[in-house]
Amino acid sequence: MTHRLTSNLRRAKAALTVATLASAALLLGACASKPVPPDWQANAFEALKGYSSAYLSGNTRLADFEFARARSEIARTGRADLMARAELTRCATRVASLEFDNCAAYQPLAADAGASEQAYAAFLTNNWTGLNAALLPEQHRPLILSAAANKPASSPAQAVSVLDTIKDPLARLVAAGVLLQGSRLTPADIAVATETASTQGWRRPLLAWLGVQRKRADDAGDRDAAARIQRRIDLVLQLPPKTQ
């Protein structure tokens, strides 16, 4: 049992390491080279990784500290385009947790961002009209192509979610958040997003997606389902069970 738990924790940690900068492997990767990278680059990457890990776990104070550290390191380069990419990384992480602010911190930097970053910002803020899918990360292109073809990413009647095709867990949650903004989300998508957050142990997005599920149950008048989901929320929040 202990060996299995350790193995699962290692897989989750590896998934987070890969997922942290799905948007930002564009990020500082543009500066990557075979020689030893400069200190600012390594420090910024580690800080951004720390930001995503802390934010998804619900530790806002640590997340803010790590992102400020990343900004400080990137500012040493004087490159607004890299700062824009960092802000898109923060925006994407927030979208995965259903916190939408139109990527406000990115907007002042948009004029100095490249075409790929501008396309990603449009994707995150649900401004898909005329969006060139080829400029997006590969895992998110099918969503745009489906919308361009005037067909839903997945049918409400389907048990399989389009999100199942996205292997990276953070990228999957980002896509789910974007679909929710555009009212394109299906029940299957909601289930996939919820269980993705649960499997990774990402407290913040899990609570957000459980909230979506609870509201749907309330709207449908399904009191048993709503109560079951609320018990799950209480467990995440470590609240004592309610007595009958």
Side-chain angles (χ1 to χ4, degrees):
M1 183 67 177
T2 302
H3 175 74
R4 183 182 303 171
L5 178 58
T6 302
S7 178
N8 288 340
L9 289 173
R10 287 175 179 169
R11 283 198 294 271
K13 183 176 180 181
L16 177 58
T17 300
V18 173
T20 316
L21 303 181
S23 59
L26 333 146
L27 203 67
L28 305 173
C31 300
S33 56
K34 290 184 179 179
V36 176
D39 289 345
W40 75 264
Q41 184 179 334
N43 293 342
F45 181 85
E46 287 301 317
L48 284 168
K49 186 169 65 173
Y51 159 76
S52 290
S53 177
Y55 193 83
L56 293 168
S57 70
N59 190 336
T60 302
R61 179 178 296 183
L62 179 58
D64 289 345
F65 171 81
E66 291 288 8
F67 195 81
R69 187 164 69 94
R71 283 186 59 93
S72 177
E73 293 292 339
I74 295 171
R76 292 166 56 186
T77 70
R79 289 185 55 179
D81 60 326
L82 290 182
M83 194 68 79
R85 295 176 191 180
E87 289 295 352
L88 284 177
T89 299
R90 176 158 64 166
C91 182
T93 307
R94 288 173 58 84
V95 167
S97 302
L98 305 186
E99 297 178 7
F100 310 122
D101 66 353
N102 200 40
C103 295
Y106 158 81
Q107 298 303 332
L109 303 163
D112 295 309
S116 294
E117 290 74 46
Q118 292 179 10
Y120 196 62
F123 172 75
L124 291 175
T125 55
N126 201 42
N127 295 312
W128 291 10
T129 302
L131 182 56
N132 183 356
L135 294 174
L136 295 175
E138 184 176 358
Q139 62 265 32
H140 291 150
R141 293 173 191 168
L143 279 66
I144 302 300
L145 296 175
S146 295
N150 292 318
K151 63 180 181 179
S154 57
S155 166
Q158 290 178 332
V160 177
S161 165
V162 66
L163 300 178
D164 285 325
T165 65
I166 302 177
K167 294 182 179 180
D168 180 275
L170 182 53
R172 191 182 308 139
L173 287 181
V174 171
V178 172
L179 288 175
L180 180 64
Q181 283 188 88
S183 300
R184 301 180 179 92
L185 210 64
T186 70
D189 297 329
I190 295 172
V192 169
T194 303
E195 293 315 306
T196 296
S198 174
T199 299
Q200 298 301 318
W202 289 340
R203 183 175 181 270
R204 191 188 299 269
L206 176 57
L207 287 171
W209 285 104
L210 285 172
V212 172
Q213 285 191 326
R214 184 184 58 189
K215 185 178 186 306
R216 287 179 60 87
D218 286 338
D219 291 346
D222 191 339
R223 297 177 61 183
D224 289 341
R228 183 173 63 253
I229 295 166
Q230 184 60 54
R231 287 194 296 272
R232 194 172 178 187
I233 291 172
D234 292 345
L235 180 61
V236 176
L237 294 173
Q238 300 185 59
L239 299 177
K242 296 179 180 178
T243 57
Q244 299 295 328

